[in-house]
Amino acid sequence: MSGRPYRGRFAPSPTGPLHEGSLVAALASWLDARAHGGQWLVRIEDVDRPRCPPGMDTLILSQLQDVGLQPDEPPVWQSAAAQEARYAQALASLVAQHWAYPCACSRKDIAQAIEALGGARERHGELVYPGTCRCGLQGREARAWRLLSTAMQPATGACEAPDLVLSWVDRRLGAQEQNLTREVGDFVLLRADGLWAYQLAVVVDDAWQGITDVVRGEDLADNTPRQVRLQQLLGAPHPRYLHTPLVLGDNGEKLSKQNGAQALDLSDPAGALGRAAERLGLRLGDASGQHHSVSDVLGAAVAAWQERLGLPRG
Ligand code: GLU
């Protein structure tokens, strides 16, 4: 935040090649970094390794290169041993502070516990964990680690504690609020399959890389309170957030790898960039036309982004 030199990042999960939607997110984060005279990094978010086909990371890096989006530092892979050690250290700190606890519940256990509570504790198709293991494992074996999502820790012998309502400000969406306890519940930090959860990895990495500004797609906006909470508990700085509009496919759904978005057509990189800039609402004037180079389009887009932010053109 203020006082720290601007550092932004693009953090793709290499589950598929870049498509038109992810190019918009990449371009927005690059433009914001350039417009502020800051640095722009690329982080390959491959913690969920089984979902990342081999070679997808290098394909994404070469797609970024083709559209002239060059990181200022060598990319970082979340699967690197050094990163994993940092996630383990963060979990150990949360455990030592009694904000993280082991959980023995399978999906089936969670579904049954929810059913017993009257059902309907779901969010984006995910079950909101009812907190069964907050009071201990009752002799069962730990499978995962979760973060206690309440405002305070429960009193000795109790399992409930006051709700945690988190507020944060998005540069585009404005003031936001979420009741983390009710809407999200105690979320996973280390999964039953031994993989680190995105929420923990992203917070540790943003802090370690000195990221001051997170610019990413709006579909990730409601992860932000979980990340803000982890920043608070880990003593990590709070970056500024800007969530960009989503690109919808013809079916009106978010364009994503999961719903079969086509890989970027890079036979005309300048054209692809021009379309991405348009989706961000930037008017590039002459440079949006055909026969322009990638650097013409990028230069015009930076100027348009600076104008939008009211920053002096540099
Ligand atoms: N890796 C996430 C994704 O590709 C983005 C994470 C982030 O920008 O915080 O959806």
Side-chain angles (χ1 to χ4, degrees), residues 9 11-13 43 45 198 202 214 216 220 227 257:
R9 63 14 171 226
S13 303
R43 185 168 72 225
E45 298 213 317
Y198 155 70
V202 85
V214 171
R216 59 187 179 190
L220 292 163
Q227 295 170 13
K257 293 163 230 176

Side-chain angles (χ1 to χ4, degrees), residues 31 34-37 301-314:
L31 285 173
R34 286 291 169 269
H36 285 90
V302 172
W305 192 269
Q306 284 173 326
E307 193 177 309
R308 171 186 287 179
L309 298 181
L311 292 170
R313 290 185 182 207

